[in-house]
Amino acid sequence: MQRKITLLIVLALWSLAVCAQTAHQLYVNPQEKTNEGRGVFTTVNEALRRAEAFADDSLWTMIHIAPGVFWIDDPDDPTIRKPESGENIPYGMKVRLNRTRIIGMGDSPEDVVLACNRGQTQGADGNFTMLHISGDDIQVENLTFGNYCNVDLNYRLDPKQSRQRRADAIVQAQLVICRGDRYEARNCRFISRLNLCPFAGARHALFEDCYFECTDDALCGTGVYRHCRLTFFSSKPFYSTSPQGAVFEDCDIHSKVQGVQYLTKVSDPVTMRNCRWTSDDPHLTIEWTRKPNPKKRCLMENCTLNGKPLDVPMPPDVPMPVTTPSLPMMNQPSLMSGRWTLDAYKPKDTADYDWKVDTSRPSWCFGEGMDGAEGCFGMIQMVRGARMMYTGKADETYGNQTLTIELSPCKSAGQGFGSATGQYLDLCIKFDTQTLTGYGLRFVRTPAYDKAVEVVLVEYKDGEITSICSPEKCVLFKKGCRVTLSAKDNVLVAQIEQGDQQQQLTAVIAHPNNFGGIHIQHTGSTGASATVIQTINCTYSI
């Protein structure tokens, strides 16, 4: 190992001598002490800060990195990373660069690793991203960019530098977001899972002889991918692509999806030429997106799936079928006896999360869900904090109450909500809408699961919310979820059903009441993270 590093130093110094008149030369070696005058640095962060000084220079800046694992963000620091004021993404490092080339000096890209291990709710408040780069003409070569929040780091040159993933539940854990043009990566590896973001935001990006591991909403939508290898762990590696579309040429793609592998979540153009797909599922089918728009042209030429010819046609260029538009429902914030209230509200137990109620638009609409709730019609949240309440009649006293409600979350994997940032759905009965007092069932996304939610029975008392049973993992919060919530003889029972699966929670009603209201509170994000409320039925008995 020592001989190898010595040789790398000699090569780097030779490069310094040859190119001194044409480029700024920087060298990173963890075995060396930082000497800014000589352009030698112990860490990658130091070298990037030095490169910032040359951002407005006409010369290129070359950064050579010796083998090792370089943590852009300290993995042992227990401090939760938060976004800077006015932003919603926390970064390991923000840097301004132009005309910069970063080169790993190992035998393979696995030898030089730029690393972090934080993600949404796992060491960070927000979609933690290792690097933010502002500037043009950035080239990287022979490197690994890895967010090891949900992936183990196995460093073969020195196992002592290996590190176990922070958590099993897959969350948004990102690599590099850019603001600039002409980004190029050659012989590099990009490792994470959800929201990979390899040079996301670059106006033009080229990836050549690179390798990617990712789940959804992950790849750079402006990218050209040549001679690359990719492993897809879920069905939509792109959220969307640029108007020109992403391009794959002579790539090897392995899908670990069962059933249908889509490419984009939003119907946008993709071109695939001479690509070879393989799959763990012998019956896998590949489609562009759930609802392809023929005006967003996609092209596939000379591609195979498990060795057999693959052709994914676009629908003919004919008028799109008419769909039912969403119908916004005007907010009705007043509390009136025997009437429904539609508004938005930020509950007290979300105070640690920085969002405000959007009062500029209706809180609810009637329409069709998307993704996992496609084909399902009902009430859908349009703003975070959307709330729906029924106020019991003032001249009536209510005894036992049963609420039956059918739900279809847009999230199809069972996680229900966009992230574990105080995002939940409460369904409540025996409720007083004036004082926010009653009992209910909560579906909530937590950092513990990425394909399930937790469910727990709760008590509301003057707007304060407490759990009244132990939380349980629930995999039933998917399309066609049916909830029956009943309060009878001072016992609260929630029956959750989806298909032929069932789950039940029970708790004692410690403070019986005569209220008959209903309270539905959604604190999750909207759009692809919303929940369609298809039917609501409530009955009362003495």
Side-chain angles (χ1 to χ4, degrees):
M1 182 67 180
Q2 184 61 42
R3 181 178 179 182
K4 181 178 179 179
I5 292 177
T6 301
L7 177 60
L8 291 173
I9 294 173
V10 171
L11 290 172
L13 292 176
W14 175 82
S15 179
L16 286 171
V18 172
C19 304
Q21 300 304 314
T22 59
H24 302 287
Q25 298 286 340
L26 307 178
Y27 180 63
V28 179
N29 183 358
Q31 309 300 323
E32 295 279 329
K33 291 184 179 180
T34 294
N35 186 324
E36 189 171 306
R38 293 176 53 227
V40 176
F41 300 90
T42 305
T43 69
V44 169
N45 297 52
E46 293 172 313
L48 291 175
R49 284 285 173 245
R50 179 56 179 158
E52 277 191 310
F54 306 127
D56 296 321
D57 198 307
S58 60
L59 297 179
W60 278 74
T61 298
M62 314 291 285
I63 303 176
H64 298 83
I65 308 177
V69 176
F70 298 88
W71 291 95
I72 302 301
D73 174 89
D74 182 359
D76 295 314
D77 184 350
T79 305
I80 301 298
R81 302 293 188 256
K82 296 181 179 294
E84 294 181 0
S85 177
E87 298 185 348
N88 57 13
I89 294 178
Y91 293 98
M93 186 178 187
K94 298 175 70 174
V95 63
R96 178 174 172 265
L97 304 172
N98 285 299
R99 295 167 298 281
T100 301
R101 188 178 181 197
I102 307 171
I103 306 168
M105 300 299 290
D107 292 335
S108 71
E110 289 92 341
D111 294 348
V112 181
V113 181
L114 276 56
C116 64
N117 73 339
R118 297 177 188 269
Q120 175 69 272
T121 72
Q122 296 175 9
D125 179 7
N127 297 355
F128 184 83
T129 305
M130 181 165 62
L131 289 169
H132 183 281
I133 303 175
S134 300
D136 301 328
D137 299 302
I138 307 299
Q139 299 177 5
V140 297
E141 184 176 341
N142 206 35
L143 301 168
T144 290
F145 294 83
N147 191 325
Y148 298 98
C149 184
N150 307 131
V151 185
D152 290 341
L153 168 58
N154 297 308
Y155 188 65
R156 61 186 179 86
L157 292 186
D158 181 7
K160 292 181 180 179
Q161 296 190 60
S162 296
R163 193 178 186 97
Q164 189 175 2
R165 58 187 177 273
R166 183 181 286 264
D168 292 331
I170 296 172
V171 299
Q172 296 91 335
Q174 305 174 167
L175 294 178
V176 187
I177 292 179
C178 309
R179 189 175 69 236
D181 200 3
R182 298 180 299 278
Y183 282 68
E184 299 180 9
R186 289 181 171 83
N187 193 34
C188 288
R189 300 167 72 243
F190 298 90
I191 308 297
S192 187
R193 288 295 182 265
L194 186 58
N195 293 23
L196 182 72
C197 292
F199 298 152
R203 287 193 291 275
H204 297 88
L206 171 64
F207 303 93
E208 198 160 34
D209 297 308
C210 292
Y211 174 70
F212 303 81
E213 287 185 6
C214 63
T215 62
D216 283 354
D217 304 341
L219 295 179
C220 175
T222 58
V224 174
Y225 302 81
R226 291 180 184 159
H227 321 304
C228 291
R229 295 183 302 115
L230 305 98
T231 302
F232 296 156
F233 287 85
S234 64
S235 62
K236 305 178 193 73
F238 289 103
Y239 180 84
S240 62
T241 66
S242 67
Q244 296 77 27
V247 178
F248 294 85
E249 297 180 351
D250 190 26
C251 292
D252 291 281
I253 306 171
H254 183 69
S255 172
K256 291 187 173 294
V257 173
Q258 300 292 310
V260 183
Q261 170 75 65
Y262 299 101
L263 284 177
T264 65
K265 183 173 288 186
V266 175
S267 183
D268 269 340
V270 178
T271 296
M272 305 198 80
R273 296 188 180 95
N274 304 312
C275 292
R276 297 158 295 278
W277 285 79
T278 55
S279 169
D280 295 341
D281 178 4
H283 306 294
L284 181 79
T285 59
I286 297 174
E287 299 182 15
W288 297 114
T289 189
R290 284 184 178 273
K291 290 186 175 181
N293 182 344
K295 298 187 182 302
K296 301 291 182 70
R297 305 303 296 177
C298 294
L299 175 67
M300 182 168 287
E301 293 181 346
N302 194 31
C303 295
T304 60
L305 171 58
N306 289 336
K308 297 179 180 180
L310 173 65
D311 180 27
V312 183
M314 283 293 295
D317 192 358
V318 296
M320 295 289 286
V322 176
T323 59
T324 304
S326 296
L327 175 64
M329 310 295 289
M330 295 302 295
N331 286 349
Q332 302 172 32
S334 299
L335 297 177
M336 301 175 64
S337 174
R339 298 289 183 88
W340 283 92
T341 294
L342 300 180
D343 66 358
Y345 177 74
K346 183 175 173 63
K348 293 180 181 179
D349 62 357
T350 65
D352 291 339
Y353 300 98
D354 186 18
W355 59 272
K356 297 179 180 179
V357 170
D358 181 359
T359 59
S360 67
R361 55 187 307 197
S363 302
W364 295 86
C365 71
F366 182 88
E368 180 185 4
M370 60 191 303
D371 294 339
E374 184 178 344
C376 301
F377 291 84
M379 297 294 285
I380 305 173
Q381 308 81 41
M382 295 184 67
V383 302
R384 190 166 185 182
R387 181 173 66 169
M388 184 187 308
M389 297 189 295
Y390 173 77
T391 301
K393 295 180 180 179
D395 57 350
E396 290 191 14
T397 297
Y398 296 90
N400 300 328
Q401 182 179 2
T402 299
L403 173 70
T404 302
I405 185 166
E406 292 186 9
L407 308 165
S408 287
C410 293
K411 290 288 187 181
S412 60
Q415 72 276 47
F417 307 90
S419 60
T421 53
Q423 299 196 27
Y424 61 75
L425 171 63
D426 280 356
L427 310 172
C428 301
I429 57 176
K430 301 296 293 177
F431 205 84
D432 177 33
T433 58
Q434 292 279 356
T435 62
L436 301 183
T437 297
Y439 290 87
L441 171 70
R442 171 170 294 187
F443 294 92
V444 57
R445 184 168 181 179
T446 74
Y449 312 109
D450 61 310
K451 295 183 179 179
V453 293
E454 282 189 350
V455 287
V456 64
L457 296 173
V458 297
E459 178 182 14
Y460 275 69
K461 186 172 179 58
D462 298 324
E464 301 286 346
I465 309 165
T466 56
S467 300
I468 56 174
C469 74
S470 298
E472 298 181 10
K473 178 181 179 181
C474 177
V475 297
L476 309 182
F477 194 47
K478 301 177 183 177
K479 183 176 182 178
C481 179
R482 179 184 178 93
V483 176
T484 302
L485 184 65
S486 64
K488 182 178 181 180
D489 299 330
N490 299 336
V491 176
L492 185 67
V493 178
Q495 181 82 14
I496 307 167
E497 302 172 82
Q498 199 268 336
D500 58 358
Q501 296 179 286
Q502 297 183 357
Q503 185 172 356
Q504 187 176 95
L505 290 81
T506 304
V508 173
I509 296 176
H511 305 98
N513 63 59
N514 295 319
F515 308 141
I518 300 169
H519 173 265
I520 300 172
Q521 172 79 66
H522 193 283
T523 67
S525 44
T526 58
S529 300
T531 296
V532 181
I533 300 175
Q534 295 176 260
T535 63
I536 300 174
N537 183 54
C538 187
T539 60
Y540 301 92
S541 62
I542 298 175

